[in-house]
Amino acid sequence: KSDEKKIEEYKRQFNLYNYFLWTEKNIIVDKIKIWFIRNQKEVIIDVKPEEVFQNMEWFENTIKAIYNEEEWKPNNTKSNQYFCNNICSVRNSCKYKI
């Protein structure tokens, strides 16, 4: 993945934290600092309230979609074998086990 893609993923995760810090603890976060240890790169991102709330809306919609799902297709791609074989809570009874 490109650095920009990683940064966007991390930003989404931090924005979830920001939402709960703001709404539950009344702690305002205005900047996020991401430190990429391997290449000693730091990225500082301004926190935008509208992005935090849009992110929370995305999160809530994702949870609703999961709850409304009726068919669970296997996620047993080669890149995900470790999860399927070691972490998945239904791996021992899954008919799609790798």
Side-chain angles (χ1 to χ4, degrees), residues 6-66:
K6 283 182 183 178
I7 290 168
E8 285 303 310
E9 288 175 8
Y10 293 142
K11 187 169 117 176
R12 176 171 273 172
Q13 181 178 358
F14 284 118
N15 277 335
L16 285 174
Y17 301 150
N18 285 333
Y19 177 84
F20 289 105
L21 285 170
W22 289 356
T23 60
E24 300 296 321
K25 301 291 184 184
N26 202 28
I27 298 172
I28 305 300
V29 177
D30 60 354
K31 295 200 183 300
I32 298 168
K33 183 188 285 189
I34 303 171
W35 179 28
F36 293 93
I37 297 171
R38 288 189 181 133
N39 60 6
Q40 294 299 308
K41 178 180 175 182
E42 283 187 2
V43 177
I44 298 173
I45 301 168
D46 291 326
V47 174
K48 299 175 183 164
E50 64 275 6
E51 286 182 3
V52 172
F53 290 101
Q54 286 171 353
N55 193 74
M56 191 61 197
E57 187 176 312
W58 164 85
F59 178 72
E60 289 172 338
N61 289 336
T62 300
I63 298 299
K64 286 177 191 173
I66 291 169

Side-chain angles (χ1 to χ4, degrees), residues 59-97:
F59 178 72
E60 289 172 338
N61 289 336
T62 300
I63 298 299
K64 286 177 191 173
I66 291 169
Y67 276 117
N68 291 328
E69 186 62 54
E70 293 181 11
E71 183 181 343
W72 293 89
K73 296 180 182 174
N75 189 7
N76 57 4
T77 62
K78 284 186 177 185
S79 65
N80 209 18
Q81 286 183 1
Y82 181 82
F83 175 83
C84 290
N85 291 326
N86 299 288
I87 298 173
C88 179
S89 62
V90 296
R91 68 186 174 274
N92 293 327
S93 60
C94 181
K95 66 182 179 181
Y96 301 108
K97 186 173 180 176

